[in-house]
Amino acid sequence: MSHTSTKPSIGLIGLAVMGSNLARNIESRGYPIAVFNRKTEVTEKFMKDFGPGKFVGSKTLPEFVQSMAAPRQIILLIQAGPAVDEVMNQLIPLLTKGDVIIDGGNSYFKDSQRRDVRAREAGMHFLGLGVSGGEEGALKGPSLMPGGPRDAWKLVAPMLEKIAANVDGPCTTYIGPDGSGHFVKTVHNGIEYGDMQLIAEAYHLLRDVLKLQPEDMAGIFEEWNRGVLSSFLIEITGKVLRRRDDQGSGYLVDAILDKAGQKGTGKWTAMEALDLGVSIPTLTAAVDARVLSSMKNERVGASKVYGAPTLPSYQGTKEEFIKLAHGALYASKIIAYAQGMALLGRASHHYKWDLQLGDIAAIWKGGCIIRARFLDEIRKAYKTNSELPNLLLDPGIKKEVEGSIPALRRVIQIAAERGVPVPAFSASLSYFDSYRSAELPQNLTQGQRDFFGAHTFERKDKPGSFHAQWETK
């Protein structure tokens, strides 16, 4: 296989599309790079397609390691799970002290914590690197979230800063110790789930309440992308809606089966929120919505049992409803981000990571899937007050929420009257109304718990824990 005159210190294992594109990105920034895939034919094809250049291809793992100069920086872009441990077990005996193993897959953060310990015991470093941006981002500039030893980050930072997207600076920064990088990527994906579900609900309302065609809706999303909702996901929504069906008539979106897949990061976000005692109902509703969507046959059967509700026609103007949908989407989006940032804040405290939420918002401004204009407002909020307990308490954010919450209330009412499910919109409003309420009904819940289980309760008028004799004999 082809070799370069300069011995690389950077290597990449796993030459599927993401790995291949990231390797090409690294090489294009002036770094020679060693590449390896467990299937030799994949490496050979990569070298044939993209060499000669600054790539060094190897047929075996020992040859791959020997082709590199120490301290080695080896990126793994392989399937998350046992495969990462398997490759690490094969790599560690071949490496020297001070080498860095970088896991760029969507790994569970507790696996990264464990691998961090394993590498340190062997005298090496481990970085859990969250990578967002998909195939195009990997090639042209992703958002990168590295977690692990600061010394290891300092070694790889120059390369990461060159290959990352750049919006007012590189879209990467040191996240924190051990599994923090992969945790931040997990929460990024949880927010992504929420954002996508909110957009889907806005589309559902425009389609079923206003009876708009995809091309009409595409124009609406394109208009929204020029304002406060400007984001990658809003941008591609317009493009998805405009696409004609080249295998049939009409628009492709109408031919796509309404079953959404998921790879686990949304579920992990919900699990960690439950473990840490953080409420993220909008993000959880998005996971639930995908699960319900996958029950296609059961839903079709239920639709025959219950039939369609009798839907009253919408009495307002089309322009009025589009404005309401915009406001509802904006309010819910802010609330979804507030939930995600609250989860990051709690995890930072619990795991002693010292996450800088303003910096995280800044590196999400480019390259990643949730990149959006609104992230600049989040960055400003945490730069003003790094101890902000919830994004909704920032004065600037408060103004935006107060301006858009009435639209969210009205849209949920319209949807409920017409039987259009809006689980993420509804969860967002319930979260907001619960968070802003000085009094909630859980005093009754505590009374019930004490009644049947003697769980005790606190009183408003005096400190301590109390138990009542609820039934007199």
Side-chain angles (χ1 to χ4, degrees), residues 272-283:
E272 294 311 315
L274 286 170
D275 283 347
L276 293 170
V278 181
S279 177
I280 58 163
T282 306
L283 312 190

Side-chain angles (χ1 to χ4, degrees), residues 8-310:
S9 60
I10 299 168
L12 188 142
I13 297 174
L15 293 172
V17 177
M18 280 291 289
S20 171
N21 282 1
L22 196 66
R24 292 166 60 200
N25 182 351
I26 293 168
E27 188 274 338
S28 72
R29 312 293 173 169
Y31 292 95
I33 177 170
V35 293
F36 173 78
N37 196 85
R38 65 185 178 89
K39 292 182 178 177
T40 305
E41 60 268 26
V42 173
T43 311
E44 290 173 341
K45 184 176 188 309
F46 177 87
M47 295 299 294
K48 180 182 177 183
D49 290 346
F50 305 114
K54 294 182 179 177
F55 299 108
V56 178
S58 299
K59 292 183 178 180
T60 67
L61 208 54
E63 182 187 338
F64 167 77
V65 172
Q66 289 161 16
S67 73
M68 299 174 64
R72 300 171 182 87
Q73 303 159 49
I74 299 175
I75 302 168
L76 311 183
L77 268 174
I78 57 180
Q79 186 175 4
V84 177
D85 292 307
E86 185 181 332
V87 171
M88 278 188 69
N89 289 338
Q90 293 170 3
L91 266 179
I92 284 175
L94 303 173
L95 300 179
T96 53
K97 292 190 184 303
D99 287 350
V100 185
I101 299 171
I102 305 162
D103 176 16
N106 267 342
S107 289
Y108 184 44
F109 82 102
K110 289 186 177 177
D111 287 340
S112 297
Q113 290 177 317
R114 172 174 54 77
R115 289 162 185 153
D116 174 66
V117 174
R118 167 91 171 88
R120 272 192 283 118
E121 287 173 347
M124 293 146 205
H125 297 303
F126 177 87
L127 283 177
L129 180 66
V131 180
S132 179
E135 297 170 8
E136 184 178 0
L139 181 63
K140 297 180 181 178
S143 176
L144 300 170
M145 298 154 253
R150 193 177 283 272
D151 287 347
W153 172 75
K154 287 178 180 175
L155 183 65
V156 304
M159 180 265 291
L160 295 184
E161 288 173 355
K162 280 194 176 180
I163 68 170
N166 193 301
V167 179
D168 304 323
C171 291
T172 185
T173 189
Y174 179 65
I175 297 296
D178 54 74
S180 60
H182 275 138
F183 187 91
V184 169
K185 175 57 169 37
T186 295
V187 175
H188 164 285
N189 284 22
I191 295 171
E192 177 187 312
Y193 271 58
D195 214 346
M196 292 175 73
Q197 177 62 25
L198 293 167
I199 292 169
E201 291 176 17
Y203 154 76
H204 195 174
L205 288 162
L206 294 172
R207 186 189 71 184
D208 286 19
V209 175
L210 292 186
K211 310 296 183 186
L212 297 182
Q213 293 301 307
E215 189 170 4
D216 300 321
M217 290 184 280
I220 291 167
F221 280 99
E222 287 160 1
E223 179 63 31
W224 288 356
N225 197 45
R226 290 190 276 272
V228 293
L229 287 174
S230 176
S231 67
F232 173 71
L233 286 170
I234 293 287
E235 177 189 339
I236 67 168
T237 299
K239 293 178 178 178
V240 168
L241 290 167
R242 279 210 185 276
R243 180 73 154 78
R244 304 288 302 193
D245 185 1
D246 55 7
Q247 296 183 38
S249 60
Y251 292 89
L252 181 56
V253 70
D254 291 333
I256 298 174
L257 189 66
D258 55 327
K259 289 172 65 173
Q262 54 181 314
K263 292 186 176 179
T265 47
K267 181 180 74 173
W268 290 346
T269 306
M271 287 166 47
E272 294 311 315
L274 286 170
D275 283 347
L276 293 170
V278 181
S279 177
I280 58 163
T282 306
L283 312 190
T284 304
V287 178
D288 288 340
R290 293 198 189 189
V291 173
L292 269 164
S293 79
S294 70
M295 299 161 56
K296 177 67 174 179
N297 292 339
E298 203 169 330
R299 289 189 291 111
V300 169
S303 73
K304 293 173 182 175
V305 172
Y306 284 98
T310 303

